[in-house]
Amino acid sequence: MYRTLDIRSALSLGLRIPQGASRLVPQSSSGSILLVLFLLFLICVLVAVLKSPLFSNSPEVDAGDPQDVPDQCATKELSETRGSKADSGETPLAAPPRTNLLSSIGNMMASTLVARPVPIPEPSTLIDRAPDVAPKLEKPEAPWPVKQPYDAFLVLDVEATCQEGTDFNWPNEIIEWPVCLLRWRHKDMEGRAKELYVADEFRSFVKPTWKPELSAFCTSLTGITQADVDRAPKFAKVLESFKEFLVRNGLIDAVTGEKRQRFAWCSDGPFDIRDFVVKQCFISKIQMPEWLKGDVLDVRKVVTYYLALQEADVTGTGTRQPRIVFPKPGMPAPKRRSLNIPQQLRALSLPAFVGRQHSGIDDTRNISRIVTELAKRGIRLEPNTTIYPGRRWQWMGKPGQILEEYCFI
């Protein structure tokens, strides 16, 4: 198919072949000649296209081609039109400039590669979209109710005898028994609720037996006078009256005393039932009733945990409220300063304390306001403090006997 050409034949065809080199070419050289001519034709066409006005910023006009010569009449009419618009005050229309096709294509490709700046919103838009920073320790009402395991709450804040300089280890005797009964206004079939109201109240003064005379310090602190306790029944009789209160509200059975509804005791701190009630049952030589036993909802501990969680999320940027996890019985409270009732009201952005502080019924009503607010904020209310009815102090002798040598003042 191929044959070797000598140098003379190669030179006659116009090919440059180095000395001593041999070349292989097709037997028919007509095909190669046609290919070379076709390539030359393409080069000429490309050169002609590049010189055309379409690829030039200042297009040349060929004088020999009558189609490329602009019409003088049309040019004159255009000039007159621009002059008349300028005289009339109108802005003349500029002739559309001729652009280089290659430069236009290059600009389009460059514009797609260059990063476009991100539009910055106006300052007012930034302000409108900024999250609302709620004041510290404040949370709005929960948009949905949570499951509440208890049907009712008995809020209790007793007042007891005291001497100046004594603490909770002293043999205090209860002198006021106030209770607020809280119920859910609406509770669905799945137990979800968030609105509590005061359904009933109970209040009775109690006559002390070990130290029947109230100290001036006790009267000044509680507002309870000697006349109030002198005409009051003893603790055992008060419990009987309160049992009738529970039966009337459908909380316990009149005969057996068993619970007919699931209710929980609430107090400000663990002291009322853990300390005062246990000591009073020992002094009165009575067994603690079954409806009085059980774990207690320490409201102060709940508020302490709630505020600790709010301090961890003071911005309130979340769309949903974080799940509130509260301690179970036996779990310690966070290490922070304990808040009394007025401070709890202030921390929850509630109105100030209503009534007289250390008045049993007034304390109970304000604690009920705190419990109601906690429920409104979507907090699950359940006992968190264990009560030990058999707890003993060193001043306890036989049932009802107080060893005064151990009562330090």
Side-chain angles (χ1 to χ4, degrees):
M1 178 177 180
Y2 293 91
R3 64 182 178 86
T4 304
L5 297 179
D6 55 7
I7 297 176
R8 182 178 300 176
S9 300
L11 292 176
S12 63
L13 294 176
L15 300 177
R16 297 181 59 185
I17 300 177
Q19 294 182 359
S22 61
R23 292 291 184 269
L24 293 178
V25 297
Q27 295 181 359
S28 177
S29 61
S30 60
S32 299
I33 296 174
L34 293 176
L35 179 60
V36 171
L37 293 177
F38 179 73
L39 292 177
L40 292 176
F41 175 76
L42 289 179
I43 292 173
C44 296
V45 171
L46 181 59
V47 171
V49 170
L50 291 177
K51 289 185 177 182
S52 64
L54 187 61
F55 289 83
S56 176
N57 289 330
S58 56
E60 298 179 358
V61 178
D62 188 1
D65 191 356
Q67 295 181 355
D68 293 337
V69 179
D71 191 354
Q72 297 181 359
C73 297
T75 304
K76 181 178 181 181
E77 292 177 359
L78 179 60
S79 301
E80 293 176 357
T81 304
R82 291 179 179 178
S84 61
K85 288 188 177 182
D87 296 339
S88 61
E90 298 181 4
T91 303
L93 296 176
R98 294 184 179 180
T99 58
N100 192 329
L101 182 58
L102 292 179
S103 61
S104 301
I105 296 174
N107 293 335
M108 291 175 61
M109 296 177 63
S111 62
T112 57
L113 297 177
V114 177
R116 297 184 178 180
V118 178
I120 300 176
E122 297 295 331
S124 59
T125 306
L126 294 176
I127 296 176
D128 295 339
R129 294 185 179 180
D132 296 331
V133 180
K136 191 175 182 180
L137 305 182
E138 288 189 8
K139 275 291 184 180
E141 179 179 348
W144 59 88
V146 299
K147 287 186 178 181
Q148 298 290 352
Y150 288 86
D151 301 322
F153 301 92
L154 295 172
V155 183
L156 173 68
D157 191 273
V158 301
E159 299 300 328
T161 58
C162 54
Q163 297 284 344
E164 189 173 5
T166 60
D167 57 11
F168 291 114
N169 293 318
W170 198 70
N172 313 89
E173 293 183 89
I174 295 176
I175 57 178
E176 184 181 3
W177 184 268
V179 176
C180 283
L181 172 60
L182 299 179
R183 289 188 181 277
W184 299 107
R185 192 173 299 277
H186 301 289
K187 195 173 186 181
D188 60 19
M189 298 298 295
E190 297 182 357
R192 293 186 175 89
K194 69 174 183 177
E195 185 178 358
L196 286 170
Y197 71 98
V198 179
D200 203 350
E201 289 183 350
F202 179 90
R203 185 194 189 191
S204 176
F205 293 112
V206 184
K207 185 176 183 178
T209 58
W210 176 58
K211 293 288 186 180
E213 297 293 331
L214 301 181
S215 65
F217 174 79
C218 181
T219 299
S220 174
L221 179 66
T222 64
I224 300 174
T225 63
Q226 188 65 43
D228 293 332
V229 297
D230 286 343
R231 58 174 175 262
K234 295 180 180 180
F235 184 69
K237 185 65 176 179
V238 172
L239 287 185
E240 293 180 4
S241 300
F242 183 71
K243 180 181 178 180
E244 297 176 359
F245 171 84
L246 298 178
V247 172
R248 186 172 63 252
N249 285 279
L251 296 177
I252 64 173
D253 185 80
V255 178
T256 62
E258 296 180 355
K259 293 183 179 181
R260 299 181 59 184
Q261 296 182 17
R262 198 177 186 193
F263 61 86
W265 289 90
C266 306
S267 61
D268 175 41
F271 321 107
D272 294 85
I273 297 181
R274 186 196 67 181
D275 297 337
F276 294 127
V277 173
V278 173
K279 289 187 288 186
Q280 185 62 58
C281 289
F282 172 84
I283 295 172
S284 300
K285 295 187 292 186
I286 61 175
Q287 292 290 331
M288 182 180 291
E290 291 296 328
W291 44 262
L292 191 51
K293 294 180 181 180
D295 298 336
V296 175
L297 171 59
D298 183 351
V299 179
R300 182 178 299 192
K301 185 183 289 187
V302 175
V303 174
T304 303
Y305 266 81
Y306 181 75
L307 298 184
L309 291 175
Q310 299 310 300
E311 288 177 347
D313 183 25
V314 297
T315 57
T317 56
T319 57
R320 285 191 56 164
Q321 222 175 340
R323 184 175 180 268
I324 308 298
V325 180
F326 291 104
K328 300 297 181 182
M331 293 179 61
K335 294 182 179 180
R336 57 173 295 134
R337 184 171 62 91
S338 180
L339 303 178
N340 56 28
I341 299 175
Q343 291 170 339
Q344 294 176 48
L345 294 170
R346 191 180 310 113
L348 295 174
S349 302
L350 294 175
F353 188 96
V354 178
R356 186 187 191 279
Q357 295 186 37
H358 299 293
S359 168
I361 189 62
D362 290 340
D363 287 349
T364 301
R365 289 167 178 169
N366 285 274
I367 297 172
S368 300
R369 294 171 53 200
I370 296 174
V371 176
T372 302
E373 178 65 20
L374 294 175
K376 187 184 299 181
R377 298 189 182 206
I379 295 177
R380 182 183 173 95
L381 303 177
E382 53 188 347
N384 53 23
T385 303
T386 303
I387 303 300
Y388 301 99
R391 183 184 179 189
R392 293 182 63 85
W393 283 259
Q394 63 179 356
W395 49 264
M396 289 182 174
K398 296 180 180 180
Q401 181 186 10
I402 299 176
L403 305 176
E404 295 190 9
E405 59 269 23
Y406 294 98
C407 301
F408 302 102
I409 299 178

